[in-house]
Amino acid sequence: MDDLNPEQHRAATHGAGPLLIIAGAGTGKTKTLAHRVAHLVSEGTPPERILLLTFTRRAAQEMLRRAGDLTGETQSRRVWGGTFHAVANRLLRTYGRAIGLPPEFTVMDQADTADLMNLIRDDLELGEGKRRFPRKDTLGEIYSRLINARETLSDVLEAVYPWCIEEVEGIRRLFQTYVQRKRQQGVLDYDDLLLYWHALTQAEMTRDLIASLFDHVLVDEYQDTNVAQLDILRAMRRHNRNLTVVGDDAQAIYSFRAATVRNILDFPQHFPGAEVVRLEQNYRSIPPILALTNVVMAQAYEGHAKTLWSSRSGQTRPSLFTCLDETQQAEIICRQVLDDRERGVALRQQAVLFRSSHHSDQLEVELVRRNIPFVKYGGLKFLEAAHVKDLLALLRILENPQDEMSWFRALQLIEGVGPRHARTLMTALGVLDHPADHAEPDAPRLERRRSPLSLLTSETLPVPSMAAGSFDAFRQALADCDGLTLGAQVERLRGFYDSALERLYENAEPRLRDLQQLEQMAGRYLSRQDFLTDLVLDPPSSTSDLAGPPLLDEDYLTLSTIHSAKGGEWATVHVIHAADGMIPSDMSTGSTEAVDEERRLFYVALTRARDRLNVYFPLRYYHRRNGRSDSYSYAQITRFLTSDARALMDHQVMYDASSEPSSSPPLAPAAPTVDQLLNDLLGG
């Protein structure tokens, strides 16, 4: 405990009862929480009776590693640590039968959820009317909000999706069918894990058992929890009030995932008698950067009061660059990045942060032109990559032969099989309990009691003649996996899939590298179920995580959305597009709460910087990016940089205002060549 400052020490050694740790950016919350785990173990709490809930597996592993350094690795390994969804999965595998859930259930990722809803949407013919009906991604978002925010369908539509209100009955019918279809197939979606965990805490057979499993529950990043998670914590602490949560209301930026800042703001009301400890000493940033962030957050509508300070040396003030337009912004960023590199700040120690992924489009072109390598985060996620989903669909069929979405995707990998033929085959295999509307009317219906995998060898399957050869390779690949290790199964399935990959997708080489890495990952697992579940619960953030650094360069710049950058830090941070309409986004200014969240997002971007912070404001935005002659509008600097905030920054205007055309330029004499031309034309 000697390494802790007084506030950290007070938090780590707290006794019984609820504790709220308000941890500002860079104030050592991970260190504090790890010391709290170590303190509880040293005071006699059995490690297996401590539950540590985080929002990524890596965060849990890091905290338990640090706790292990203090108490011994053997002790820390016995602590229950992981994400809410991973812990839910573990509890449901053990106790799920009490609420009618078989332990061999499989978990769909969010993209598969949307795809299954799309199939049901087509089955119910909800998209074929004269009115616009929500598409699959919107339906998935609505359903997720229902579960996580604990709001009724009507309330969700009215508050977030008002254009869908008149379709409420159709959406309700689709969701009811979706729930039934999942139960028939023995699958859960990502949000169901929290729903069923809460059901465990309410069921008569398990409520007291689940609530008594842990003497202490600790929660990281509490500002990012939703109402469903709050309900779970309340139920888990029904008989025991030992709950420690740590978070920063100023970094609550995930309301679009149904997270609510109210959980941390109202913690003392939710858990009466809670002690509140504030961590304000920042170990990341130099004082001038913190001075700016404090002023930015001082304008927030509400929040837990705190003022960050630092004992670090360094007096470089944040810089504000006013640029003529996006083109000049990209040029100046590249110049600043290279200047910092020449001063000894490696590219990997620098980051460019932005509100939305497309905000970096023009910058990316300029970086390529100047031979500055970069890696971008906040774009395509690993499990969203089509080639990864294809291979995982084959594995999921082996794990759960009733998985409708996996069959639908996998069958279309067969050359000559499209959506209509895939549905026909699924009906024949008994995957669908009802004939699909698009199935052939005379398609044979095989016995439902048999496994679809065993029916693959049937000679009566309605396989299109042009697909016969590829279908034989498909079923042989699945059959050959019987008895193989997981790594060998992936290798065998790739033998079938690699040829389909080259047929289905352009630029196959980097996709093949992703699949090679996936095969190596699978080789570290003994259980196919564990591997598939872990990929859903804690997936790599992007394909580049598996494929390695971009190109073969020794250094590269980080480009990231602010949401994806949360938790990171760099020596130099460049925040671009600091204009109203960009940040705050023009879609997020409809209420005080929405503007406050955008303010917190800007605060997160600023607090990623350790030594140097550059903010860029383009004065012009062109309506079309086809050249400088296109029409444009003038922007206003982000409302979050008030005059008090700008007074703490070094402001640099990067263009010559005198070169701008005047609104009423003086008239000059007509050019002689014009007069001569007119005279010639007029015959004068």
Side-chain angles (χ1 to χ4, degrees):
M1 298 294 174
D2 293 342
D3 291 337
L4 303 181
N5 65 40
E7 291 76 19
Q8 291 173 332
H9 186 277
R10 179 181 161 203
T13 58
H14 172 77
L19 169 67
L20 169 61
I21 305 172
I22 301 297
T27 56
K29 70 176 180 64
T30 300
K31 179 179 181 180
T32 303
L33 210 52
H35 275 75
R36 175 138 184 80
V37 172
H39 173 75
L40 293 174
V41 172
S42 68
E43 291 294 304
T45 303
E48 62 273 11
R49 294 191 61 79
I50 298 174
L51 173 61
L52 173 63
L53 294 167
T54 62
F55 273 79
T56 67
R57 172 181 293 182
R58 297 171 191 83
Q61 291 173 338
E62 174 62 14
M63 288 185 192
L64 294 180
R65 182 192 66 77
R66 294 194 187 189
D69 291 341
L70 301 169
T71 64
E73 185 178 354
T74 303
Q75 295 277 62
S76 66
R77 280 184 177 180
R78 291 160 54 196
V79 173
W80 277 57
T83 65
F84 272 90
H85 294 84
V87 171
N89 174 71
R90 185 174 173 184
L91 291 172
L92 292 171
R93 300 282 181 196
T94 306
Y95 304 107
R97 287 189 184 277
I99 53 174
L101 186 65
E104 64 272 11
F105 67 85
T106 53
V107 182
M108 294 191 298
D109 62 44
Q110 290 164 320
D112 285 335
T113 293
D115 288 342
L116 179 54
M117 287 188 180
N118 200 41
L119 283 180
I120 297 170
R121 181 180 184 271
D122 291 344
D123 290 344
L124 300 179
E125 300 181 347
L126 291 172
E128 299 180 8
K130 295 181 180 180
R131 297 181 55 82
R132 179 172 59 136
F133 193 83
R135 302 302 297 268
K136 64 177 185 178
D137 290 332
T138 303
L139 291 167
E141 292 168 3
I142 294 171
Y143 183 81
S144 180
R145 197 169 192 92
L146 290 179
I147 302 301
N148 291 305
R150 293 293 195 264
E151 298 172 350
T152 67
L153 176 58
S154 297
D155 288 345
V156 169
L157 296 184
E158 184 176 349
V160 189
Y161 304 92
W163 64 272
C164 300
I165 290 176
E166 294 188 17
E167 304 299 331
V168 62
E169 291 305 321
I171 295 172
R172 180 178 290 113
R173 188 155 56 100
L174 185 148
F175 287 170
Q176 290 169 343
T177 305
Y178 170 68
V179 171
Q180 294 169 0
R181 195 79 67 89
K182 286 187 297 180
R183 289 177 180 169
Q184 292 169 355
Q185 299 172 26
V187 301
L188 299 183
D189 62 36
Y190 191 71
D191 300 312
D192 284 337
L193 292 168
L194 298 184
L195 183 67
Y196 279 81
W197 183 1
H198 186 250
L200 278 181
T201 68
Q202 305 301 309
E204 185 176 352
M205 291 178 60
T206 55
R207 55 181 294 170
D208 291 334
L209 171 63
I210 297 297
S212 63
L213 282 174
F214 305 105
D215 294 336
H216 287 270
V217 176
L218 298 86
V219 185
D220 187 24
E221 303 285 9
Y222 190 67
Q223 77 279 350
D224 295 331
T225 55
N226 55 44
V227 175
Q229 290 160 330
L230 171 62
D231 287 346
I232 288 170
L233 292 174
R234 281 173 156 170
M236 294 292 289
R237 300 293 80 190
R238 183 184 294 117
H239 306 307
N240 177 326
R241 300 179 68 246
N242 294 334
L243 172 65
T244 297
V245 303
V246 59
D248 181 8
D249 56 287
Q251 297 186 68
I253 58 174
Y254 292 116
S255 66
F256 65 93
R257 297 180 185 169
T260 172
V261 70
R262 300 259 37 115
N263 281 3
I264 192 168
L265 292 178
D266 298 338
F267 184 85
Q269 288 75 50
H270 294 155
F271 300 92
E275 182 175 354
V276 180
V277 177
R278 289 175 172 80
L279 306 184
E280 298 178 310
Q281 183 176 358
N282 180 286
Y283 296 92
R284 175 187 299 156
S285 306
I286 60 175
I289 293 176
L290 297 180
L292 174 63
T293 63
N294 287 332
V295 169
V296 168
M297 283 310 300
Q299 305 301 317
Y301 177 69
E302 63 178 334
H304 290 286
K306 55 187 166 301
T307 301
L308 299 184
W309 61 277
S310 174
S311 59
R312 283 195 59 202
S313 60
Q315 297 303 316
T316 303
R317 290 177 16 131
S319 294
L320 173 63
F321 295 90
T322 297
C323 315
L324 181 62
D325 52 24
E326 292 180 84
T327 299
Q328 191 184 48
Q329 176 182 247
E331 294 170 353
I332 295 169
I333 290 170
C334 290
R335 189 188 315 159
Q336 294 296 317
V337 165
L338 293 175
D339 286 349
D340 262 18
R341 181 173 177 270
E342 292 305 310
R343 285 193 290 264
V345 183
L347 294 180
R348 269 181 287 190
Q349 289 298 313
Q350 301 185 57
V352 180
L353 307 184
F354 33 85
R355 172 64 176 83
S356 301
S357 183
H358 67 274
H359 286 175
S360 67
D361 290 351
Q362 196 156 343
L363 173 61
E364 292 174 40
V365 173
E366 186 67 14
L367 290 170
V368 170
R369 190 179 74 81
R370 292 176 179 247
N371 193 29
I372 302 175
F374 63 89
V375 60
K376 182 176 180 179
Y377 297 94
L380 184 67
K381 304 299 183 188
F382 181 71
L383 287 186
E384 294 171 359
H387 54 292
V388 174
K389 291 180 68 64
D390 289 344
L391 190 59
L392 291 179
L394 297 170
L395 275 179
R396 287 195 174 105
I397 286 173
L398 296 174
E399 185 62 26
N400 179 5
Q402 301 300 333
D403 189 332
E404 176 182 352
M405 278 313 307
S406 294
W407 277 108
F408 188 63
R409 188 177 195 97
L411 287 169
Q412 292 181 73
L413 301 177
I414 300 169
E415 188 171 9
V417 173
R420 183 173 63 87
H421 285 123
R423 282 178 173 250
T424 301
L425 285 167
M426 289 164 66
T427 301
L429 290 169
V431 177
L432 300 177
D433 279 335
H434 56 281
D437 293 320
H438 300 288
E440 297 287 347
D442 57 347
R445 175 74 180 196
L446 300 183
E447 196 58 43
R448 177 71 173 84
R449 290 189 299 270
R450 296 176 60 189
S451 166
L453 287 173
S454 67
L455 296 174
L456 276 177
T457 58
S458 171
E459 297 298 326
T460 62
L461 288 176
V463 180
S465 57
M466 64 183 300
S470 184
F471 184 80
D472 286 341
F474 169 78
R475 61 184 169 189
Q476 188 61 51
L478 293 176
D480 289 347
C481 290
D482 188 29
L484 297 180
T485 64
L486 179 58
Q489 289 177 37
V490 176
E491 181 181 11
R492 177 63 186 92
L493 294 175
R494 282 194 54 213
F496 160 75
Y497 178 67
D498 284 358
S499 59
L501 175 69
E502 295 183 0
R503 184 183 79 251
L504 295 171
Y505 304 109
E506 297 180 0
N507 198 22
E509 185 176 346
R511 297 176 187 265
L512 288 171
R513 288 199 298 269
D514 281 343
L515 299 181
Q516 290 168 0
Q517 296 296 327
L518 190 69
E519 181 180 331
Q520 292 179 16
M521 289 173 61
R524 297 195 290 268
Y525 284 78
L526 298 177
S527 164
R528 183 173 57 216
Q529 181 187 87
D530 289 346
F531 174 64
L532 292 173
T533 302
D534 281 357
L535 277 179
V536 174
L537 299 183
D538 190 29
S541 61
S542 65
T543 55
S544 62
D545 280 1
L546 295 185
L551 310 177
L552 295 176
D553 211 296
E554 81 285 356
D555 200 8
Y556 49 87
L557 179 70
T558 295
L559 307 186
S560 177
T561 62
I562 303 172
H563 285 100
S564 295
K566 186 170 176 289
E569 60 178 72
W570 293 269
T572 299
V573 168
H574 308 266
V575 181
I576 65 176
H577 291 295
D580 256 29
M582 297 294 189
I583 184 163
S585 168
D586 54 7
M587 300 295 290
S588 301
T589 56
S591 66
T592 300
E593 293 78 9
V595 172
D596 252 12
E597 176 153 339
E598 291 290 299
R599 183 188 309 277
R600 296 192 293 266
L601 190 63
F602 189 55
Y603 169 84
V604 167
L606 302 182
T607 54
R608 300 309 95 196
R610 291 198 301 265
D611 305 315
R612 188 182 294 270
L613 173 63
N614 297 330
V615 181
Y616 301 83
F617 164 53
L619 196 58
R620 286 178 177 175
Y621 281 95
Y622 288 92
H623 301 165
R624 296 180 303 276
R625 297 178 180 177
N626 293 331
R628 300 178 68 89
S629 61
D630 281 348
S631 60
Y632 62 86
S633 299
Y634 280 106
Q636 292 185 343
I637 194 166
T638 174
R639 67 190 71 180
F640 304 140
L641 288 179
T642 61
S643 57
D644 289 342
R646 296 197 299 273
L648 298 172
M649 308 177 76
D650 291 332
H651 188 191
Q652 301 183 49
V653 177
M654 303 307 294
Y655 67 96
D656 183 1
S658 65
S659 65
E660 283 289 280
S662 167
S663 58
S664 300
L667 293 176
T673 53
V674 173
D675 290 340
Q676 182 62 51
L677 176 60
L678 287 173
N679 285 333
D680 291 343
L681 292 174
L682 295 173

